[in-house]
Amino acid sequence: MTSALTLLNVSLEYPDGGSTLKALDTVNLKVSRGEFLSLVGPSGSGKSSLLAVAATLVTPTSGLVVIDGQDVSALKESERTALRRDKVGIIFQQPNLLPALTAVEQLLILDHLRGKSVRAAKQRAEELLDVVGLAGVGHKRPHQLSGGQRQRVNIARALMGSPTVLLVDEPTAALDHERSESIVRLLRRVTDEFSTATVMVTHDTEFLPLTDAVATMRDGRLSRALEPSGQPN
Ligand code: ADP
Ligand code: MG
């Protein structure tokens, strides 16, 4: 299988007083389409930094990020923005929905940038709300939705551009156990159905068996990875 997301010797340094802090230290990672990878590790170990670099939101100090065969460092800023818009779906812990907009409108707001017709976009938005289990609530605004429903809107929104790579940062941190499990199950189904290369940062070790592999961050270094069954990958 070809890799949808590749990080090659990626390091990310931040100035830290007189010295530098290595948020990422020579990280290597490949994720294929249809693969669901969990990323675990202590707080401050670099998990969100890895997602930010993979999302092309942060440029690494050194190393390569390749998305769908494109070396991100070779792109101009405008090309990078287009790549992110067309290939990357980002889901953070807090859904960050706009309070004034309905669920359908949350999905449509970025879509005019992708040059689709309003009608096609509306149809896709309705389909995706259906996929995430929100058929019939497209007209509701965030305050009328539960926390779990808001996270589902967030997931549907990330899928609007048909991303190759889906990056998810602690999607269940604000949810109770039952809703957390259904969100991880949804991400599993989405990964299978849309063949996304999905990376999910999580603290919920009990849901790791729903994913294909587990990678661990520690002090900016990544160990990849054991299958949940314990087989080296
Ligand atoms: P995690 O998501 O695993 O908790 P982060 O990727 O957020 O870890 O952070 C990794 C390290 O990088 C931490 O030491 C954090 O303080 C540092 N860091 C993250 N973002 C910045 C930033 N914008 N400026 C300086 N240091 C940062
Ligand atoms: Mg984090």
Side-chain angles (χ1 to χ4, degrees):
M1 249 191 298
T2 60
S3 151
L5 170 67
T6 304
L7 305 190
L8 215 62
N9 293 323
V10 166
S11 293
L12 176 66
E13 296 177 1
Y14 289 114
D16 185 36
S19 69
T20 57
L21 183 152
K22 276 204 165 186
L24 298 175
D25 185 1
T26 332
V27 167
N28 286 289
L29 177 68
K30 281 184 192 221
V31 190
S32 308
R33 293 205 76 152
E35 185 180 14
F36 190 3
L37 174 73
S38 303
L39 184 58
V40 300
S43 174
S45 60
K47 305 181 298 294
S48 294
S49 299
L50 188 152
L51 291 193
V53 165
T56 79
L57 292 167
V58 169
T59 303
T61 311
S62 59
L64 287 186
V65 178
V66 184
I67 294 176
D68 234 4
Q70 285 221 286
D71 172 1
V72 174
S73 66
L75 301 178
K76 290 185 287 192
E77 181 59 39
S78 61
E79 294 170 327
R80 199 155 47 230
T81 304
L83 177 80
R84 190 183 314 129
R85 188 186 65 211
D86 296 337
K87 305 275 187 185
V88 182
I90 303 172
I91 299 166
F92 292 131
Q93 176 180 335
Q94 295 297 338
N96 276 326
L97 303 176
L98 295 162
L101 299 187
T102 68
V104 170
E105 288 165 349
Q106 311 280 348
L107 272 58
L108 294 178
I109 185 147
L110 276 179
D111 222 58
H112 67 280
L113 296 173
R114 300 193 177 96
K116 266 198 239 150
S117 80
V118 174
R119 203 173 144 174
K122 263 192 178 156
Q123 192 180 340
R124 174 143 179 92
E126 300 281 2
E127 279 166 14
L128 286 174
L129 287 176
D130 202 12
V131 166
V132 302
L134 291 180
V137 306
H139 62 287
K140 292 198 176 176
R141 293 176 212 283
H143 72 275
Q144 299 169 303
L145 300 170
S146 70
Q149 287 176 321
R150 284 196 289 272
Q151 191 57 291
R152 286 166 190 273
V153 174
N154 193 20
I155 292 168
R157 182 176 56 182
L159 294 170
M160 272 300 277
S162 306
T164 310
V165 176
L166 198 56
L167 303 169
V168 196
D169 203 350
E170 306 203 27
T172 63
L175 301 177
D176 64 27
H177 178 270
E178 199 176 320
R179 284 176 176 160
S180 296
E181 178 167 350
S182 69
I183 290 294
V184 179
R185 285 191 185 282
L186 172 60
L187 291 167
R188 169 80 262 175
R189 189 156 52 80
V190 158
T191 303
D192 295 340
E193 211 165 299
F194 298 95
S195 288
T196 53
T198 305
V199 182
M200 175 180 70
V201 172
T202 184
H203 284 307
D204 295 318
T205 50
E206 67 191 288
F207 303 137
L208 298 181
L210 291 171
T211 66
D212 297 314
V214 183
T216 305
M217 283 298 287
R218 194 170 290 277
D219 296 332
R221 299 186 72 94
L222 183 74
S223 67
R224 167 87 150 94
L226 293 176
E227 305 282 342
S229 62
Q231 295 300 308
N233 187 19

